PDB file of all heavy atoms in Angstrom:
ATOM      1  N   ASN A  25     -44.780  33.298 128.958  1.00 86.00           N
ATOM      2  CA  ASN A  25     -45.280  34.260 127.978  1.00 86.00           C
ATOM      3  C   ASN A  25     -44.378  35.480 127.926  1.00 86.00           C
ATOM      4  O   ASN A  25     -43.674  35.787 128.874  1.00 86.00           O
ATOM      5  CB  ASN A  25     -46.708  34.691 128.317  1.00 86.00           C
ATOM      6  CG  ASN A  25     -47.694  33.601 127.999  1.00 86.00           C
ATOM      7  OD1 ASN A  25     -47.850  33.227 126.851  1.00 86.00           O
ATOM      8  ND2 ASN A  25     -48.348  33.084 129.019  1.00 86.00           N
ATOM      9  N   TYR A  26     -44.429  36.189 126.808  1.00 86.00           N
ATOM     10  CA  TYR A  26     -43.596  37.369 126.642  1.00 86.00           C
ATOM     11  C   TYR A  26     -44.384  38.460 125.929  1.00 86.00           C
ATOM     12  O   TYR A  26     -45.410  38.210 125.302  1.00 86.00           O
ATOM     13  CB  TYR A  26     -42.321  37.032 125.865  1.00 86.00           C
ATOM     14  CG  TYR A  26     -42.566  36.320 124.563  1.00 86.00           C
ATOM     15  CD1 TYR A  26     -42.727  37.022 123.377  1.00 86.00           C
ATOM     16  CD2 TYR A  26     -42.661  34.929 124.531  1.00 86.00           C
ATOM     17  CE1 TYR A  26     -42.975  36.357 122.192  1.00 86.00           C
ATOM     18  CE2 TYR A  26     -42.917  34.273 123.340  1.00 86.00           C
ATOM     19  CZ  TYR A  26     -43.064  34.990 122.178  1.00 86.00           C
ATOM     20  OH  TYR A  26     -43.322  34.339 121.004  1.00 86.00           O
ATOM     21  N   ILE A  27     -43.898  39.695 126.033  1.00 88.00           N
ATOM     22  CA  ILE A  27     -44.548  40.866 125.451  1.00 88.00           C
ATOM     23  C   ILE A  27     -44.186  40.973 123.975  1.00 88.00           C
ATOM     24  O   ILE A  27     -43.028  40.882 123.608  1.00 88.00           O
ATOM     25  CB  ILE A  27     -44.105  42.146 126.184  1.00 88.00           C
ATOM     26  CG1 ILE A  27     -44.509  42.103 127.655  1.00 88.00           C
ATOM     27  CG2 ILE A  27     -44.638  43.390 125.493  1.00 88.00           C
ATOM     28  CD1 ILE A  27     -45.979  42.192 127.915  1.00 88.00           C
ATOM     29  N   TYR A  28     -45.204  41.171 123.116  1.00 86.00           N
ATOM     30  CA  TYR A  28     -44.991  41.448 121.694  1.00 86.00           C
ATOM     31  C   TYR A  28     -44.813  42.941 121.449  1.00 86.00           C
ATOM     32  O   TYR A  28     -43.957  43.365 120.704  1.00 86.00           O
ATOM     33  CB  TYR A  28     -46.202  41.022 120.857  1.00 86.00           C
ATOM     34  CG  TYR A  28     -46.273  39.577 120.465  1.00 86.00           C
ATOM     35  CD1 TYR A  28     -47.490  38.913 120.476  1.00 86.00           C
ATOM     36  CD2 TYR A  28     -45.158  38.876 120.056  1.00 86.00           C
ATOM     37  CE1 TYR A  28     -47.590  37.581 120.101  1.00 86.00           C
ATOM     38  CE2 TYR A  28     -45.248  37.547 119.679  1.00 86.00           C
ATOM     39  CZ  TYR A  28     -46.464  36.911 119.708  1.00 86.00           C
ATOM     40  OH  TYR A  28     -46.568  35.605 119.328  1.00 86.00           O
ATOM     41  N   SER A  29     -45.702  43.738 122.050  1.00 90.00           N
ATOM     42  CA  SER A  29     -45.712  45.169 121.757  1.00 90.00           C
ATOM     43  C   SER A  29     -46.280  45.943 122.942  1.00 90.00           C
ATOM     44  O   SER A  29     -47.147  45.440 123.660  1.00 90.00           O
ATOM     45  CB  SER A  29     -46.564  45.419 120.508  1.00 90.00           C
ATOM     46  OG  SER A  29     -46.532  46.776 120.143  1.00 90.00           O
ATOM     47  N   ILE A  30     -45.784  47.175 123.125  1.00 90.00           N
ATOM     48  CA  ILE A  30     -46.235  48.076 124.185  1.00 90.00           C
ATOM     49  C   ILE A  30     -46.610  49.400 123.544  1.00 90.00           C
ATOM     50  O   ILE A  30     -45.940  49.875 122.635  1.00 90.00           O
ATOM     51  CB  ILE A  30     -45.121  48.299 125.231  1.00 90.00           C
ATOM     52  CG1 ILE A  30     -44.812  46.994 125.960  1.00 90.00           C
ATOM     53  CG2 ILE A  30     -45.509  49.379 126.221  1.00 90.00           C
ATOM     54  CD1 ILE A  30     -43.645  47.081 126.918  1.00 90.00           C
ATOM     55  N   ALA A  31     -47.697  50.015 124.035  1.00 89.00           N
ATOM     56  CA  ALA A  31     -48.125  51.325 123.536  1.00 89.00           C
ATOM     57  C   ALA A  31     -48.622  52.165 124.710  1.00 89.00           C
ATOM     58  O   ALA A  31     -49.327  51.655 125.584  1.00 89.00           O
ATOM     59  CB  ALA A  31     -49.235  51.173 122.505  1.00 89.00           C
ATOM     60  N   ALA A  32     -48.239  53.443 124.738  1.00 86.00           N
ATOM     61  CA  ALA A  32     -48.776  54.368 125.738  1.00 86.00           C
ATOM     62  C   ALA A  32     -50.257  54.544 125.431  1.00 86.00           C
ATOM     63  O   ALA A  32     -50.639  54.810 124.295  1.00 86.00           O
ATOM     64  CB  ALA A  32     -48.047  55.693 125.660  1.00 86.00           C
ATOM     65  N   SER A  33     -51.122  54.358 126.428  1.00 77.00           N
ATOM     66  CA  SER A  33     -52.549  54.452 126.156  1.00 77.00           C
ATOM     67  C   SER A  33     -53.213  55.643 126.826  1.00 77.00           C
ATOM     68  O   SER A  33     -54.300  56.035 126.431  1.00 77.00           O
ATOM     69  CB  SER A  33     -53.261  53.150 126.526  1.00 77.00           C
ATOM     70  OG  SER A  33     -52.847  52.651 127.743  1.00 77.00           O
ATOM     71  N   ALA A  34     -52.586  56.235 127.824  1.00 78.00           N
ATOM     72  CA  ALA A  34     -53.068  57.439 128.508  1.00 78.00           C
ATOM     73  C   ALA A  34     -51.910  57.921 129.375  1.00 78.00           C
ATOM     74  O   ALA A  34     -50.953  57.171 129.592  1.00 78.00           O
ATOM     75  CB  ALA A  34     -54.296  57.118 129.355  1.00 78.00           C
ATOM     76  N   PRO A  35     -51.972  59.153 129.878  1.00 81.00           N
ATOM     77  CA  PRO A  35     -50.880  59.607 130.754  1.00 81.00           C
ATOM     78  C   PRO A  35     -50.697  58.666 131.947  1.00 81.00           C
ATOM     79  O   PRO A  35     -51.647  58.360 132.659  1.00 81.00           O
ATOM     80  CB  PRO A  35     -51.348  60.992 131.209  1.00 81.00           C
ATOM     81  CG  PRO A  35     -52.259  61.453 130.115  1.00 81.00           C
ATOM     82  CD  PRO A  35     -52.956  60.203 129.633  1.00 81.00           C
ATOM     83  N   GLY A  36     -49.499  58.136 132.102  1.00 86.00           N
ATOM     84  CA  GLY A  36     -49.191  57.235 133.210  1.00 86.00           C
ATOM     85  C   GLY A  36     -49.668  55.810 133.030  1.00 86.00           C
ATOM     86  O   GLY A  36     -49.568  55.004 133.945  1.00 86.00           O
ATOM     87  N   ILE A  37     -50.196  55.485 131.866  1.00 87.00           N
ATOM     88  CA  ILE A  37     -50.745  54.148 131.597  1.00 87.00           C
ATOM     89  C   ILE A  37     -50.156  53.627 130.286  1.00 87.00           C
ATOM     90  O   ILE A  37     -49.992  54.371 129.332  1.00 87.00           O
ATOM     91  CB  ILE A  37     -52.281  54.202 131.457  1.00 87.00           C
ATOM     92  CG1 ILE A  37     -52.940  54.754 132.719  1.00 87.00           C
ATOM     93  CG2 ILE A  37     -52.865  52.855 131.085  1.00 87.00           C
ATOM     94  CD1 ILE A  37     -52.852  53.836 133.916  1.00 87.00           C
ATOM     95  N   PHE A  38     -49.832  52.328 130.244  1.00 89.00           N
ATOM     96  CA  PHE A  38     -49.447  51.714 128.978  1.00 89.00           C
ATOM     97  C   PHE A  38     -50.167  50.391 128.818  1.00 89.00           C
ATOM     98  O   PHE A  38     -50.644  49.800 129.781  1.00 89.00           O
ATOM     99  CB  PHE A  38     -47.923  51.554 128.849  1.00 89.00           C
ATOM    100  CG  PHE A  38     -47.308  50.507 129.738  1.00 89.00           C
ATOM    101  CD1 PHE A  38     -47.179  49.201 129.310  1.00 89.00           C
ATOM    102  CD2 PHE A  38     -46.832  50.847 130.997  1.00 89.00           C
ATOM    103  CE1 PHE A  38     -46.596  48.236 130.116  1.00 89.00           C
ATOM    104  CE2 PHE A  38     -46.247  49.889 131.816  1.00 89.00           C
ATOM    105  CZ  PHE A  38     -46.125  48.585 131.382  1.00 89.00           C
ATOM    106  N   SER A  39     -50.278  49.962 127.581  1.00 90.00           N
ATOM    107  CA  SER A  39     -50.935  48.699 127.260  1.00 90.00           C
ATOM    108  C   SER A  39     -49.939  47.777 126.597  1.00 90.00           C
ATOM    109  O   SER A  39     -48.976  48.233 125.981  1.00 90.00           O
ATOM    110  CB  SER A  39     -52.119  48.937 126.325  1.00 90.00           C
ATOM    111  OG  SER A  39     -53.046  49.778 126.949  1.00 90.00           O
ATOM    112  N   ALA A  40     -50.182  46.486 126.710  1.00 91.00           N
ATOM    113  CA  ALA A  40     -49.269  45.501 126.129  1.00 91.00           C
ATOM    114  C   ALA A  40     -50.049  44.313 125.586  1.00 91.00           C
ATOM    115  O   ALA A  40     -51.044  43.892 126.169  1.00 91.00           O
ATOM    116  CB  ALA A  40     -48.277  45.026 127.182  1.00 91.00           C
TER     117      ALA A  40
END
Side-chain angles (χ1 to χ4, degrees):
N25 286 296
Y26 52 91
I27 298 291
Y28 277 141
S29 184
I30 295 175
S33 44
I37 301 291
F38 71 90
S39 300

